[in-house]
Amino acid sequence: MTAGQRVRSLALAAAAGLVACGGGDFATAPTAPTATPAAGPPGTEVEPLAAAAAGAGKLVGAAVQASYLGQADYAAVFGRHFSYVTAEWEMKWLPVQRQPGAFDFSGGDRIVAFAEARGMRVKGHALVWHGSTPDWVNTLTAPELRIALEDHIRTVVGHWRGRVHAWDVVNEALADDREATGDGLRRTTFYETLGPGYLAEAFRLARRADPEALLIYNDYGAEGRGRKSDRVYELVMGLREQGVPIDGVGLQMHIDSSGSPTAADVAWNMRRLAELGLVVNISEMDVRTASQPGDTATRSERQKQVYKAIVGACVAEPRCDAVTLWGFTDKFSWIDKQFGADDPLVFDESYRAKPAFFGMLEAFQRR
Ligand code: XIL
């Protein structure tokens, strides 16, 4: 079935109130393990982050991949320490609807089942993102894409209705500073085909599909002060003023341990977003160290201080509801593919707690 045929059949099905779903599966190759600092205590023996976070009124999460949950160490440490889970890949458009009408929920179902068995909340990620858009979506006309967007969001959000605490509805819609022109929006298929109004459409469709889920705009490079941070602020303020059902902003926090953004600037940015009536969350935190000077112990200590300061900014902000890491063990981090070998997370590749883990723990415990 071609994309156009799918969309036309949807137009007919919409009239008859019918929808369809199918199967398939997906997994990404694991990232190469990277070197690790001096060994700390086993992750299964240190006090749970989730309890400390709960004491501060926060959720603490990590992005996981379904294919890793069968590994005992991975499942044990993740299950012990986190109260919130994000699918690193399996709930995105490409793995879920690789071909028009062929929905594959298997990876997301496995992650949601794992979470629910442990009383964890689930973050849906991400309904609209240029980084996981199947080729067939890029071939659609505006009317076809409008129908496909409605079908995707209604079907996916409807599949997990009542089981997802928050959805990253639109991810990374703003251009980086060097590319930003005019309205500052990234020139994606959604923008080029539907215009800037696609953001409002996506949020309205998500609200209709699950009235209970928090609806989030998520982005990177906008955590502290800066032009992109201002553009996120202006974007979500505009959406709120249009009456668009947006509830919060996700600050991805893919940073290094150089000290930028400062915790003070992150706190300032969180506060101004909160004053719009939004919740904020740290959605994809990892702290790269490889580019920093000093030996492993020095870089690990610096990394600990960055985790402690940034998590502390969320702890101090009443409207910051969660800190989520992008992975939790250096054994599996997207950073290795994206930026080269690094140790950006809080458990080493043997699932031992690093100084960064204790930085998070101390922040949640306000120590
Ligand atoms: C990344 C995953 O970590 C990779 O495994 C995948 O191949 C591509 O997507 N910002 C986001 C995330 O919002 O969805 C991206 O995750 C990382 C950047």
Side-chain angles (χ1 to χ4, degrees):
M1 177 186 285
T2 66
Q5 287 169 335
R6 162 71 182 166
V7 171
R8 280 186 288 282
S9 72
L10 278 167
L12 296 174
L18 304 174
V19 288
C21 58
D25 202 352
F26 180 86
T28 54
T31 52
T34 57
T36 185
T44 50
E45 295 176 11
V46 287
E47 61 182 296
L49 275 180
K58 310 298 177 183
L59 295 169
V60 60
V64 300
Q65 294 199 32
S67 57
Y68 299 153
L69 290 173
Q71 299 180 31
D73 286 350
Y74 186 90
V77 172
F78 173 65
R80 177 179 178 82
H81 287 287
F82 297 99
S83 51
Y84 203 15
V85 64
T86 301
E88 183 173 358
W89 177 250
E90 292 89 340
M91 293 169 78
K92 292 170 179 171
W93 192 318
L94 179 57
V96 166
Q97 194 184 178
R98 184 178 294 278
Q99 295 302 332
F103 288 90
D104 172 15
F105 297 115
S106 60
D109 282 344
R110 191 169 171 196
I111 291 170
V112 171
F114 186 95
E116 289 178 335
R118 291 158 181 81
M120 295 177 177
R121 299 279 185 94
V122 176
K123 165 91 76 63
H125 175 83
L127 295 172
V128 177
W129 181 44
H130 67 281
S132 64
T133 304
D135 289 342
W136 67 267
V137 173
N138 300 322
T139 66
L140 300 179
T141 63
E144 291 171 340
L145 181 55
R146 187 158 283 115
I147 291 173
L149 182 68
E150 189 279 334
D151 177 51
H152 184 76
I153 292 177
R154 171 175 43 78
T155 307
V156 174
V157 176
H159 178 79
W160 287 297
R161 179 177 173 134
R163 305 169 74 187
V164 170
H165 173 66
W167 272 104
D168 288 336
V169 176
V170 177
N171 190 36
E172 302 183 0
L174 284 166
D176 295 330
D177 288 343
R178 63 185 180 280
E179 298 154 354
T181 58
D183 56 17
L185 288 170
R186 191 185 295 269
R187 279 5 187 202
T188 65
T189 288
F190 298 97
Y191 181 95
E192 300 287 12
T193 308
L194 298 177
Y198 82 89
L199 286 110
E201 282 184 56
F203 278 94
R204 290 192 174 107
L205 290 166
R207 178 69 94 224
R208 192 182 308 157
D210 185 348
E212 301 308 314
L214 290 174
L215 304 183
I216 307 292
Y217 175 75
N218 193 55
D219 215 329
Y220 68 90
E223 291 86 0
R225 295 178 188 266
R227 283 182 296 166
K228 188 172 182 181
S229 178
D230 291 344
R231 287 202 300 276
V232 168
Y233 179 77
E234 289 152 14
L235 173 69
V236 298
M237 180 167 59
L239 290 171
R240 294 277 287 184
E241 287 170 352
Q242 294 168 47
V244 172
I246 177 172
D247 302 304
V249 170
L251 306 174
Q252 289 188 10
M253 208 62 71
H254 292 298
I255 60 178
D256 63 29
S257 51
S258 64
S260 174
T262 66
D265 285 353
V266 171
W268 170 84
N269 190 36
M270 286 181 169
R271 182 84 310 255
R272 69 169 175 169
L273 290 165
E275 285 166 359
L276 293 178
L278 296 168
V279 294
V280 293
N281 75 86
I282 293 172
S283 56
E284 306 184 13
M285 187 168 185
D286 40 38
V287 180
R288 302 184 305 278
T289 64
S291 64
Q292 299 306 303
D295 61 15
T296 300
T298 302
R299 292 204 306 272
S300 293
E301 178 58 26
R302 181 90 196 89
Q303 182 184 53
K304 170 185 177 177
Q305 294 310 320
V306 171
Y307 269 105
K308 183 171 182 176
I310 297 295
V311 173
C314 178
V315 168
E317 173 50 60
R319 299 284 287 166
C320 180
D321 68 349
V323 175
T324 291
L325 308 179
W326 209 243
F328 60 96
T329 168
D330 290 336
K331 181 174 183 173
F332 302 120
S333 168
W334 80 298
I335 289 294
D336 294 335
K337 288 182 288 186
Q338 193 71 12
F339 295 92
D342 208 310
D343 296 325
L345 293 164
V346 300
F347 294 99
D348 70 20
E349 74 272 14
S350 301
Y351 299 95
R352 290 179 171 275
K354 296 164 57 177
F357 167 88
F358 296 100
M360 290 188 75
L361 191 65
E362 291 168 16
F364 284 129
Q365 293 173 340
R366 296 186 176 92
R367 284 193 283 142

